[in-house]
Amino acid sequence: MILTTHNLTIGYTKTIIAHNLNLSLLRGELVCLLGPNGAGKSTLMRTLAAMHPPLSGEIRLMGQNIRQLKHPDLATRLSVVLTDRPDTGQMCGYELVALGRHPYTNWSGRLTQQDQQIIQRALALTGATDLANQPVAQLSDGQRQKIMIARALAQDTPLILLDEPTAFLDLPRRVEIMRLLRQLARQTNRAILLSTHDLDLALRTADQLWLMAIGGIIQTGAPEDLVLNGAFQTVFQNDGLFFDLDTGAFRIHDHPTGKISVHGEGIRATWARRAVERIGYTIVDDAPLVIEVLNDSYKLRGKIYKFLYNLVKDLA
Amino acid sequence: MAQLTTDNPKLTSASATFSLPGIRTWGLFSLLILLLLALAASLSLGSVNIPLKDILRILMGQEASRASWERIIWMVRMPGALTAGFAGAALAVSGLQMQTYFSNPLAGPFVIGISSGASLGVALAVLAGGLSLLAAAGLAGTLGLAAAASLGAGFVMILVLFTARRVSNHLSLLLIGVMFGYMTSAFVSILIYFSRPEQIDTYIRWGFGTFGGVTWQTMRVFAPVVILGLIMAYSQAKQLNALILGENYARSMGVNIPRARFMIVVSTALLAGVVTAFCGPVGFIGLAVPHLCRGIFHTADHRILIPAVALMGAVIALAADVIASLPGSINYTLPLNAVTALIGAPVVLWVILRRKS
């Protein structure tokens, strides 16, 4: 058990965000904190990172209350990746990762042979070795995030907290970072907790989800269990969003415009269904309105369409 | 093939950055040589032409061809050169600390209100008759001005820092410094409006800045304070490195923020304060030199930057002093601040234009 909270209440002097939280993080696990905006994810992350005081209860890190740990001791147990984007000037990747050794070096910050090995290993584990000599200011968002993760690794702490590490990244980079973090949790046997808005990615990569609803109630468990017991749907479902249990994905639904049947099979039929769902139709088996999926076209009301674009236009 | 040959040197030179710290040691060594050259230039140039041979003899403690030359070297040029060197190092290092601490490339040693406070103190002394009060307390002439500048600088700095405690972000703190600057200059304008021309003249001369005002006697205060400030700054090199990532990251890496902040602000106050008190508000060195050194050494590491910036600051200050005295007569030296601005402003422009691209 790396981190445990005991009847933890978080918030600010005037507003309680969540109370009586009893959470735990295990070695080797990647945990994603999910929740709608305003549920208090940031406050929870900041409280766990000892950057904000809890209202009551306690957080134990490796068995010790974090409020009683001195900053240098805390720094050897907990490292963070924040959303801050500091201006790093002329600093190169290696120098930034080397900052992670701060809690271990002497007053002058001199790196020992061992420090240098740990830095090289952190760079290798994150696939950032090529970035070591480049100025951080010139890296892309994804590369920069890898360097920041390598810095946290070099700090050599059993727990790493990441605040929205995939924000501002494009989809391939988000997938890459999430896979990297899951891999790191296993390989280096650390606990990694991250907050994210990427529901789909979190569902596919996390060992455990912490689902935070508005009002501060947190449900924890494997992603699949939380989907099956309906927790996932309740937390996220609202007027415009609908979780499809069959596909495991969210659907956006507007006010229903009508019912329609799509006759046909294969990929083209799947995407024809998505096209009409997008403009608010409900798919049923026996509607009077029918789309026939042909080899290289679609047929609706006797008319042949080469592209779904025109078909959807006529329907809408 | 052409691809390979262009790629390879880049790779080797980049990896050399870590395996061969020698390159940076050589850089510091070259700066040291440059400093000695600048010192030599500063000692040998002036209104009286003294041959280099005689200067060396005088420095070795031997007899020079003319006895008056000894006096000129020991009593005038030597203190002036040392003052320029110490002041340049002090201003440049305090500028570097402020730029890192505020994560703002355009911060300088005076962002915490030191020069505006000093100018207020001197204005009160010179224009509002405070000088006679100080003289009555045994502080006449340069020492009186230094006392007035220190009092003013200390007072406004405390006001700025006190106000700054109520804001959390650095941008606001910078703005607070600027606003206090406006307020003090407003006060000074009012004082000037009601003053006699000869009083105004004294005030304006102080504002030009000079390295000529420190005697061997006052050097006993000036040099130790600068050295203490520089040692304090270097002791925070590791913390300054962490602070590049901002206070949140620095704290997460175990930096004791209140202590680091205290050390950085006190060392800046000592360095910039003592220079302003004795030499006037010497501008641009603190702002420009850190950028010059980052560009030359290609690093953000304060363990290298602090000594580099100190040496470079001393070199630039000596060069500025030499240039200012080029007209060649005691009565016709250029205002020091005009020279530092002419050197410094292009450097700052270069930084801004380079950041754009």
Side-chain angles (χ1 to χ4, degrees):
Chain A
M1 213 69 98
I2 303 247
L3 176 125
T4 49
T5 72
H6 305 271
N7 297 325
L8 178 69
T9 300
I10 61 168
Y12 304 89
T13 36
K14 281 182 188 152
T15 37
I16 289 177
I17 297 223
H19 54 92
N20 285 331
L21 299 175
N22 292 294
L23 302 161
S24 57
L25 289 171
L26 294 174
R27 268 192 190 284
E29 273 196 359
L30 175 71
V31 178
C32 290
L33 171 62
L34 290 173
N37 274 337
K41 295 193 297 292
S42 299
T43 310
L44 178 59
M45 291 298 275
R46 287 174 54 81
T47 311
L48 293 180
M51 290 160 74
H52 182 77
L55 292 179
S56 67
E58 60 176 37
I59 302 162
R60 292 184 160 267
L61 187 55
M62 313 292 289
Q64 264 188 298
N65 187 340
I66 60 166
R67 303 297 297 170
Q68 283 157 9
L69 280 171
K70 289 198 161 64
H71 274 305
D73 293 331
L74 189 63
T76 61
R77 296 168 187 229
L78 167 74
S79 55
V80 292
V81 174
L82 305 168
T83 46
D84 304 14
R85 285 192 59 123
D87 177 2
T88 47
Q90 296 274 348
M91 196 184 268
C92 70
Y94 187 93
E95 285 179 309
L96 200 154
V97 177
L99 288 179
R101 300 306 296 161
H102 195 283
Y104 306 95
T105 53
N106 67 1
W107 71 272
S108 75
R110 207 178 64 83
L111 299 171
T112 63
Q113 197 104 48
Q114 194 202 356
D115 289 323
Q116 289 176 12
Q117 278 167 10
I118 291 171
I119 294 162
Q120 292 292 357
R121 192 172 135 73
L123 283 164
L125 279 169
T126 47
T129 307
D130 291 346
L131 310 176
N133 298 324
Q134 294 183 32
V136 177
Q138 286 171 25
L139 299 180
S140 70
D141 286 340
Q143 292 173 325
R144 190 189 171 86
Q145 202 59 285
K146 278 188 184 174
I147 285 287
M148 295 315 272
I149 292 169
R151 190 208 60 78
L153 274 182
Q155 205 173 324
D156 205 11
T157 56
L159 172 62
I160 303 179
L161 296 183
L162 304 97
D163 193 11
E164 303 202 16
T166 56
F168 311 116
L169 300 184
D170 58 18
L171 187 61
R173 238 55 58 190
R174 282 188 231 170
V175 176
E176 190 184 351
I177 293 289
M178 288 292 270
R179 286 186 53 189
L180 171 68
L181 289 170
R182 182 178 59 179
Q183 212 176 316
L184 287 175
R186 304 244 162 84
Q187 277 181 6
T188 64
N189 204 27
R190 286 161 215 239
I192 298 184
L193 170 67
L194 63 94
S195 65
T196 179
H197 280 109
D198 265 314
L199 306 182
D200 196 43
L201 262 176
L203 273 177
R204 286 166 201 273
T205 36
D207 294 302
Q208 222 192 121
L209 293 184
W210 288 3
L211 268 183
M212 193 167 192
I214 300 226
I217 292 166
I218 297 184
Q219 286 171 283
T220 65
E224 299 75 19
D225 288 332
L226 292 177
V227 167
L228 289 173
N229 74 10
F232 204 78
Q233 293 86 314
T234 347
V235 169
F236 285 105
Q237 204 154 306
N238 62 20
D239 304 336
L241 206 60
F242 165 76
F243 188 78
D244 188 337
L245 272 177
D246 290 328
T247 59
F250 279 91
R251 282 214 311 251
I252 302 162
H253 66 173
D254 284 322
H255 303 290
T257 27
K259 291 184 174 158
I260 199 165
S261 298
V262 177
H263 293 172
E265 275 169 13
I267 298 171
R268 287 161 54 76
T270 313
W271 286 91
R273 286 190 189 99
R274 284 189 59 149
V276 291
E277 274 177 348
R278 172 158 61 80
I279 55 166
Y281 278 90
T282 315
I283 310 283
V284 290
D285 284 341
D286 50 355
L289 201 55
V290 175
I291 297 175
E292 277 181 69
V293 180
L294 309 173
N295 272 339
D296 56 353
S297 57
Y298 310 90
K299 193 171 163 192
L300 172 73
R301 297 176 189 136
K303 199 172 161 189
I304 301 288
Y305 294 90
K306 182 115 179 77
F307 293 107
L308 287 167
Y309 178 80
N310 306 87
L311 183 148
V312 163
K313 268 233 138 129
D314 279 359
L315 263 179
Chain B
M1 204 56 208
Q3 185 73 40
L4 245 164
T5 41
T6 48
D7 269 7
N8 268 341
K10 196 179 163 199
L11 212 91
T12 43
S13 76
S15 54
T17 320
F18 322 120
S19 51
L20 293 175
I23 290 168
R24 282 166 185 172
T25 318
W26 273 108
L28 289 179
F29 187 70
S30 331
L31 273 181
L32 201 65
I33 302 282
L34 216 57
L35 178 60
L36 291 177
L37 287 176
L39 267 173
S42 167
L43 289 179
S44 51
L45 295 174
S47 50
V48 179
N49 195 13
I50 304 174
L52 199 63
K53 194 180 68 190
D54 283 282
I55 294 177
L56 286 174
R57 288 178 66 91
I58 292 167
L59 290 181
M60 311 266 229
Q62 293 165 349
E63 293 255 321
S65 309
R66 275 185 229 171
S68 66
W69 289 353
E70 262 174 65
R71 261 189 62 80
I72 292 176
I73 293 292
W74 280 121
M75 302 316 274
V76 180
R77 292 193 190 167
M78 195 55 132
L82 285 179
T83 308
F86 277 125
L91 289 173
V93 168
S94 53
L96 172 69
Q97 292 191 91
M98 289 296 100
Q99 284 173 7
T100 300
Y101 180 65
F102 288 114
S103 333
N104 191 316
L106 296 180
F110 301 131
V111 289
I112 45 177
I114 285 172
S115 80
S116 44
S119 67
L120 181 65
V122 169
L124 283 172
V126 176
L127 307 175
L131 213 52
S132 49
L133 262 171
L134 286 164
L139 298 164
T142 320
L143 216 54
L145 279 186
S150 309
L151 287 174
F155 174 69
V156 173
M157 193 187 83
I158 286 167
L159 271 184
V160 168
L161 293 178
F162 188 76
T163 318
R165 287 177 56 149
R166 319 191 70 194
V167 297
S168 54
N169 75 52
H170 289 151
L171 198 63
S172 324
L173 181 45
L174 276 179
L175 270 177
I176 288 171
V178 172
M179 288 307 131
F180 272 100
Y182 277 123
M183 281 194 273
T184 54
S185 69
F187 262 118
V188 171
S189 310
I190 294 170
L191 287 171
I192 285 178
Y193 185 77
F194 289 107
S195 297
R196 294 191 310 275
E198 64 270 21
Q199 292 175 313
I200 297 172
D201 190 57
T202 312
Y203 175 75
I204 288 179
R205 276 182 185 284
W206 176 80
F208 285 157
T210 174
F211 294 135
V214 180
T215 60
W216 281 115
Q217 203 172 15
T218 44
M219 185 67 81
R220 282 188 229 154
V221 180
F222 186 73
V225 172
V226 170
I227 290 169
L228 176 68
L230 291 178
I231 291 172
M232 282 179 76
Y234 193 75
S235 77
Q236 297 303 301
K238 179 181 167 180
Q239 279 72 11
L240 283 163
N241 281 345
L243 278 166
I244 295 175
L245 296 189
E247 284 192 4
N248 282 334
Y249 269 119
R251 196 180 291 113
S252 85
M253 292 186 279
V255 174
N256 183 335
I257 297 286
R259 192 166 69 194
R261 185 189 291 149
F262 176 83
M263 290 290 278
I264 291 165
V265 168
V266 168
S267 115
T268 300
L270 285 178
L271 291 169
V274 77
V275 173
T276 311
F278 285 103
C279 310
V282 180
F284 276 106
I285 290 178
L287 186 59
V289 170
H291 291 298
L292 209 55
C293 287
R294 285 193 202 98
I296 292 170
F297 284 81
H298 282 290
T299 184
D301 187 346
H302 288 78
R303 287 172 300 160
I304 292 155
L305 279 179
I306 290 176
V309 158
L311 288 172
M312 181 69 90
V315 170
I316 299 275
L318 279 163
D321 196 35
V322 167
I323 293 169
S325 58
L326 270 188
S329 147
I330 289 180
N331 299 323
Y332 295 98
T333 57
L334 297 173
L336 181 61
N337 261 327
V339 180
T340 56
L342 283 175
I343 304 175
V347 172
V348 175
L349 277 177
W350 171 69
V351 169
I352 294 171
L353 292 176
R354 231 174 49 137
R355 286 171 69 83
K356 271 269 162 96
S357 56

